[in-house]
Each structure stands twice: as structure tokens, then as C-alpha cells.
Amino acid sequence: MPKLRGEAFWRETLRSAHYVVAPMVDQSELAWRLLSRRHGAQLCYTPMLHAQVFLRDANYRRENLYGEACPEDRPLIVQFCANDPEVFVQAALLAQDYCDAIDLNLGCPQMIAKRGHYGAFLQEEWDLLQRMILLANEKLSVPITCKIRVFPEIDKTVKYAQMLEKAGCQLLTVHGRTKEQKGPLAGVASWEHIQAVRKAVSIPVFANGNIQCLSDVEECIRKTGVHGVMSAEGNLHNPALFEGRNPLVWEMAEEYLEIVQKYPCPLSYVRAHLFKLWHHTPKERCKENGASGTEKGVRGKRALEEEEDGNSELLSKNKQKKKLRNPNKSFDPSLKPKYAKCDQCGNPKGNKCVFNMCRGCCKKRAFKETADCPGHGLLFKTKYEKSLSWQSSQRVIQNPEISRRGDVDVGETAVLKEAGDSAV
């Protein structure tokens, strides 16, 4: 069957989904997706996956997508971060049989995305994005979608969305914040930008930003005309958000833990979810949104200004504490050290690594080659040699004739090597 596109894809494959759980790194794992689906979510995304790592690492694929076959976890969209058309498409080909669409992350504003050159830091590279989406649209058997952040200018945001649609994007999620609006500087999302994009493209549009309760969802759809609304933080605080309920926190926590028993995930994921659940969103944040999205209802986060004149009152409380411990500490991003990339995967490499790799890649190579990397504390060669030496001494103790002869015959040498291999 030819793959569905645009409105038909949203209606038939995604079942006209209005309530969407966002892709969240280490937070939208299978157990959490199933909990959210039980309480009103109609569509979920996987956590953001690194296309290059997904392509080369079978364990990464198994842990993040292949591990558990769960029919209830559909419709599902797999999200990748990537900056190379071939790598992106090859990774997507490995994932397409386990999902209903592939999403390209063009919205991540974090420093790791800047270092890795992906997410929102690709939004100015329109030629590259066109090539990535064109190739994916041509090669994949499932539709390609995109999640973006807006530019400060509405006109540029609209042209950006139209470019992605023309390249082959079949569904667009618009986060109504710029890439600079993150952390303490997040402020409020602009529904005006989202509305303009919705009017300018013919493909389905999801809105993201300013969603804390069901009334926010309904208001966003009414004001912007989008097909659906995506929630991240609101969903983490209350997975029953799309049901319009505010259940007791421990009820949600207990239900989540029961699902985790059936579909295990790393303990760090569980800890983070429980922290979000117990630090629940206050009711006053669920008031009606204002004309631009949040003037009345959602209180903007306090601004964080970098220290320029020595006034530490402009720093967050956490940074003020760090400043007290170390008065010479600076929070200027331009003064932070630049990290060299791993030759294998592009992540920051170890400064003293003999292979110029990150620890994970270094460990695999050192084990394969039986080599040492003192920089990462990996001593495979040293331990192997010690093992051989120990095996040799044991044979001398058990057979004094060896020490009297002063050597070991060829057959015994082979036995020692075999024992050393098994010890390593």
C-alpha cells in the first residue's frame, strides 16, 4: 500500500489524535507511555534517539526500541536527532517497522544539541534540512514528520514551516518558543506563531507549549486551529492531564511502578518520574490562558541574566550557592571549555584517551584489541598479562619439573594462553 500523507495520515494512521505525549529524553519510555495512554493520551513519541548511535549499536536499538513488543503502544512515532541525510535515513530504516512515523528533532535547544550540531541548532541550515527530509520521504515506508521551534519573526517561522512541508514533511509539531527560550529563560510560548503556521501549511499541525491542564488543551486548539496538542512538563506532573483529572499523586506513582515491573526501565528514569509526580503542578497554573497563550494563566519563569557587573542577585539560587563556594567562578557560556569530539560517535572524548574516543567507544576498542587506556582507567592488556603470569606461576607450583627445566613446552604455552583468554 502507498504510504498515507498529510491529513489522511493523521486521520487513519494516527486515528485523529488530539492528545499527544511529547518526546522526552529518558522520560517518555515505554512504561510512561503506557501509563499516559491509560489516562487519555492518543499518540506518543519515543524519547529522542541519536541516529548515529542507533545505526551502529545493536544494544542501543534493543534497549530503546526493539526490546519489548507491545501492541498497546500504538500509534507511535520514533524521534531521531541527526545532521547527516544518509545516517538519518539508515537509522530510520532500522526503526520504521516498529512505529507509524519517523520524526526529525529540530527543536532541542540544549547545550548538548549545540555541541552535537542537531536539534534547534539546524534551523538556519535549510538546504541540509531539505536534503534530509527529501531523502527520508523517498526511502521510508512510513511518513516523515518534524518538531520545530519558532524564530522570533512570525514571517520567517512561516517560511521555515512551508519549506519543510515542500520537502516532504507530513506533520509538523510547533513549539512556540525560540531556541533561546529554555530553562530559567523559558518564559511563555507564542500561540500566535503556531496559529500563523497552521494557516500557512496544508499538513496537520500539533501545538507545543503552555499546556498544564485540559482547559489549556481546549483553549489552544480553539485559538490556533491545530489538529492536536502535545504536552511534556504538564504530562510529567500529571499523566492524567488529558482526562481532565487531577488524581492523587501516590495513585499515579503506584500505577506507574506496577507497569515498570512488567516493562522495566533504568532506575534513573523511575526516580525522575517520581520526583516530577511528587512535585505536582499547583492548581493556580491551570487557569485560562491569555490572548497570546499565557498572560493570565501560566506564570513565566523568572529570567536569568548572566553576571556582568558582579551582581549575584541576578543568578539563580543554585548558582549563587556555587558562587559562595567559589567566588572566582564564572557562568559566562563563552568561557566554558570547548570539548573535542570522539572519533567514533561525535560525543565529547576523554582528554587523556589514547584512542581519542569517549569512554564507551574506548572501552569497546580496548577490549577488542586487548589494549590499555590509562586515561579512562581501562587496563585490558595489563590484566591479560597478569593473568598469563599467574597461570604460569600456578603451573610451576603444581609441576616442579617445569622450574627445573627452565622452560615450558609448546603445548603448555598454548594451555596458558587459553587460560589467560578465558580469564579476561
Side-chain angles (χ1 to χ4, degrees), residues 30 33-34 37 44 46 70-76 98 100:
L30 176 59
R33 297 197 300 266
L34 293 178
R37 291 181 191 275
C44 292
T46 66
C70 185
E72 308 145 71
D73 190 34
R74 302 297 280 268
L76 177 69
Y98 298 83
D100 299 288

Side-chain angles (χ1 to χ4, degrees), residues 259-273:
I259 299 175
V260 169
Q261 286 184 327
K262 185 176 181 181
Y263 299 101
C265 64
L267 184 60
S268 60
Y269 298 7
V270 178
R271 187 188 306 116
H273 279 304

Side-chain angles (χ1 to χ4, degrees), residues 144-388:
I144 176 73
T145 69
C146 297
K147 185 173 187 291
I148 66 171
R149 284 195 169 226
V150 301
F151 290 95
E153 307 85 6
I154 291 180
D155 289 346
K156 188 173 182 179
T157 302
V158 167
K159 291 178 182 178
Y160 181 41
Q162 290 173 329
M163 178 274 293
L164 295 173
E165 177 186 21
K166 186 177 179 181
C169 176
Q170 303 302 321
L171 183 147
L172 197 61
T173 299
V174 184
H175 188 145
R177 295 183 175 93
T178 65
K179 71 175 186 294
E180 291 76 24
Q181 287 181 274
K182 60 182 180 178
L185 297 177
V188 297
S190 170
W191 287 356
E192 189 179 358
H193 282 71
I194 299 173
Q195 182 186 40
V197 170
R198 171 68 188 97
K199 290 180 178 179
V201 299
S202 59
I203 57 176
V205 175
F206 290 158
N208 184 209
N210 303 344
I211 304 302
Q212 296 295 331
C213 55
L214 186 59
S215 62
D216 292 340
V217 175
E218 296 165 348
E219 188 73 2
C220 181
I221 293 175
R222 186 181 69 81
K223 288 187 174 181
T224 63
V226 293
H227 294 70
V229 171
M230 176 182 287
S231 175
E233 283 293 316
N235 165 262
L236 291 176
H237 286 292
N238 177 15
L241 179 152
F242 292 126
E243 285 184 320
R245 296 193 308 117
N246 223 345
L248 295 172
V249 173
W250 51 86
E251 291 181 359
M252 289 289 95
E254 184 177 11
E255 186 175 355
Y256 171 63
L257 292 175
E258 288 174 355
I259 299 175
V260 169
Q261 286 184 327
K262 185 176 181 181
Y263 299 101
C265 64
L267 184 60
S268 60
Y269 298 7
V270 178
R271 187 188 306 116
H273 279 304
L274 295 180
F275 180 87
K276 287 286 188 181
L277 286 173
W278 287 100
H279 290 73
H280 209 280
T281 308
K283 291 182 180 179
E284 55 266 24
R285 290 183 66 101
C286 291
K287 296 178 183 177
E288 184 178 7
N289 280 304
S292 66
T294 55
E295 286 93 342
K296 296 179 183 178
V298 180
R299 181 186 61 198
K301 297 181 180 178
R302 55 178 163 70
L304 170 66
E305 300 179 24
E306 294 298 340
E307 181 182 32
E308 295 180 355
D309 56 357
N311 184 1
S312 62
E313 292 181 358
L314 297 178
L315 296 173
S316 67
K317 290 182 179 180
N318 189 37
K319 290 189 176 182
Q320 288 180 45
K321 291 178 182 178
K322 292 181 180 179
K323 191 75 174 177
L324 286 174
R325 292 195 296 268
N326 182 6
N328 296 322
K329 187 172 182 63
S330 171
F331 297 98
D332 185 351
S334 64
L335 300 179
K336 291 184 177 179
K338 303 297 182 183
Y339 294 96
K341 293 182 179 180
C342 168
D343 291 346
Q344 185 71 20
C345 68
N347 289 325
K349 73 172 185 178
N351 291 332
K352 298 181 181 179
C353 178
V354 298
F355 299 118
N356 292 318
M357 293 180 173
C358 66
R359 193 178 195 284
C361 296
C362 175
K363 186 175 181 180
K364 292 178 182 178
R365 179 167 174 179
F367 179 78
K368 183 178 180 181
E369 299 180 5
T370 317
D372 287 350
C373 177
H376 280 125
L378 302 173
L379 304 174
F380 292 108
K381 180 180 179 182
T382 300
K383 291 179 179 179
Y384 175 73
E385 291 173 347
K386 286 183 178 180
S387 175
L388 289 180

Side-chain angles (χ1 to χ4, degrees), residues 21 31-42 44 235 239 242:
V21 175
W32 188 260
R33 297 197 300 266
L34 293 178
L35 177 69
S36 300
R37 291 181 191 275
R38 286 184 183 181
H39 295 283
Q42 299 166 333
C44 292
N235 165 262
F242 292 126

